[in-house]
Amino acid sequence: MTRLMLLGATGLVGQSALQRALADERVTQVVAPTRRALPAQPKLLNPVLDFAELPEDAPWWSVDAVVCALGTTIKVAGSQAAFYRVDHDLPLQVARLALRQGARAYALNSALGASADSRVFYSRTKGELERDLRSLGYASLTFVRPGLIGGDRQESRPAERLAIAVTRGLEPLLPRRYRVVPASQIAAHLLAAAVAAKPGVHVLESERLLDPVPVR
């Protein structure tokens, strides 16, 4: 049985991961820290906090596994520096705090093309996070790297919506790696990896996220 921390529970992938985790009998409790309170649900522990000042001694850091579905855009964050704090620094800080309290598995929603050597700021940020997470020493570490993510977002992303529409129209002609991946599929793979806690470092590229989630 697994006590799971979910970072990014209010986002597109995070909402799906939260629903799945709460319905999964293998998960005894979901710890989902957020800035605004979530609706109360059985098995849900929802610390409401300021992510700029994480309480390092909070008892709820004691979990078995972490799923990180946190992410923003430069437009929403306001600058590259603010984006980096959300998409790199915060997931890494949470990883350190949970590991210190005994977490053994960490599953990250990263991105297609993530590389610390990339010239693209977004891809480089994701790649640097993957690199830095590897250095922490988690027994089980999984990176899922979706391309375009399908689903109904609360925030407006017109360029992304257009790209998804064009990609769906061309889907029969595109390699699987460049097809739209439903948020529910990403969430399912993240949860499966965190609960299974398979030893080692595992990378699931976008095309693999289209496959059925392995049976328990």
Side-chain angles (χ1 to χ4, degrees), residues 115-180:
S115 171
D117 298 321
S118 177
R119 295 183 179 180
V120 179
F121 176 75
Y122 178 84
S123 301
R124 186 169 66 251
T125 298
K126 297 295 187 181
E128 290 179 357
L129 175 57
E130 289 188 9
R131 176 200 64 198
D132 295 341
L133 286 170
R134 287 173 184 263
S135 72
L136 295 183
Y138 267 87
S140 175
L141 189 58
T142 301
F143 305 132
V144 304
R145 294 177 176 171
L148 289 170
I149 301 174
D152 296 324
R153 291 189 184 275
Q154 295 179 349
E155 64 184 276
S156 176
R157 295 189 183 182
E160 184 180 76
R161 287 202 306 272
L162 176 60
I164 289 173
V166 171
T167 300
R168 288 200 185 280
L170 297 173
E171 202 157 80
L173 306 176
L174 292 175
R176 281 167 55 86
R177 173 165 293 198
Y178 302 108
R179 296 179 185 178
V180 177

Side-chain angles (χ1 to χ4, degrees), residues 5-63:
M5 175 167 287
L6 174 60
L7 191 63
T10 60
L12 179 59
V13 173
Q15 289 179 14
S16 182
L18 178 61
Q19 294 170 2
R20 288 176 174 274
L22 291 172
D24 194 319
E25 70 271 13
R26 298 170 298 175
V27 178
T28 56
Q29 186 175 51
V30 180
V31 181
T34 56
R35 291 185 176 87
R36 297 179 302 277
L38 299 171
Q41 300 189 60
K43 298 201 307 185
L44 176 62
L45 175 60
N46 177 216
V48 177
L49 49 83
D50 179 357
F51 282 92
E53 298 179 2
L54 292 178
E56 297 189 2
D57 58 348
W60 42 259
W61 290 115
S62 179
V63 295

